[in-house]
Amino acid sequence: MVDGVVLCDSVSIGTGQQYGDYVEHGGHYEYWLNLAPTTVAESTFKAHAYDYFPRGRVVYDSQHRRVKLYADRCIKREAIAVIRELFALPSDMPIIYDEHYQCQSCNRAFIDDFDEAD
């Protein structure tokens, strides 16, 4: 989420990567690294460290045959609705707030050490 805009990348479940019991796609850092900005939100995203803004992940739990959303607590209900629509997710999909998904506002130890020279 960058200034209320959802930035996302996706693949079908069939082309995702198996990771334990889950099917997922790529990593946030790789997405940030490879993104060639074409919008203001994408340019703002690239101006900070990849984990500066609220983020999450939609995964498929192949053991329980259901989709789950891991999300930063800063992603508000309205944005969750947008994410559900973008990914065609069921309304009963569980939302899991995980300490791994903490933006700069939520993570007290966060340091935005982004350097364009890196």
Side-chain angles (χ1 to χ4, degrees):
M1 290 290 308
V2 177
D3 298 333
V5 177
V6 175
L7 303 180
C8 66
D9 191 19
S10 66
V11 297
S12 67
I13 292 171
T15 59
Q17 302 160 322
Q18 192 74 40
Y19 186 75
D21 290 335
Y22 296 95
V23 177
E24 54 184 44
H25 169 62
H28 291 99
Y29 177 73
E30 289 78 17
Y31 175 78
W32 174 86
L33 188 64
N34 295 315
L35 181 67
T38 60
T39 67
V40 172
E42 289 174 347
S43 294
T44 302
F45 177 57
K46 289 285 286 202
H48 295 278
Y50 82 96
D51 55 352
Y52 181 86
F53 294 100
R55 67 193 192 287
R57 177 178 300 275
V58 176
V59 299
Y60 178 70
D61 180 343
S62 52
Q63 181 179 15
H64 297 101
R65 296 183 170 185
R66 77 180 301 171
V67 177
K68 296 179 180 179
L69 171 62
Y70 289 87
D72 184 299
R73 290 190 182 279
C74 288
I75 300 176
K76 302 300 181 210
R77 193 173 309 156
E78 298 81 18
I80 297 292
V82 170
I83 293 165
R84 283 181 201 232
E85 187 174 323
L86 283 170
F87 287 88
L89 300 171
S91 60
D92 67 342
M93 172 197 64
I95 301 169
I96 302 156
Y97 298 104
D98 186 299
E99 69 181 31
H100 175 76
Y101 298 103
Q102 290 187 347
C103 66
Q104 56 84 28
S105 295
C106 298
N107 183 348
R108 294 176 194 222
F110 186 86
I111 298 173
D112 190 12
D113 63 355
F114 170 71
D115 182 0
E116 287 191 64
D118 286 347

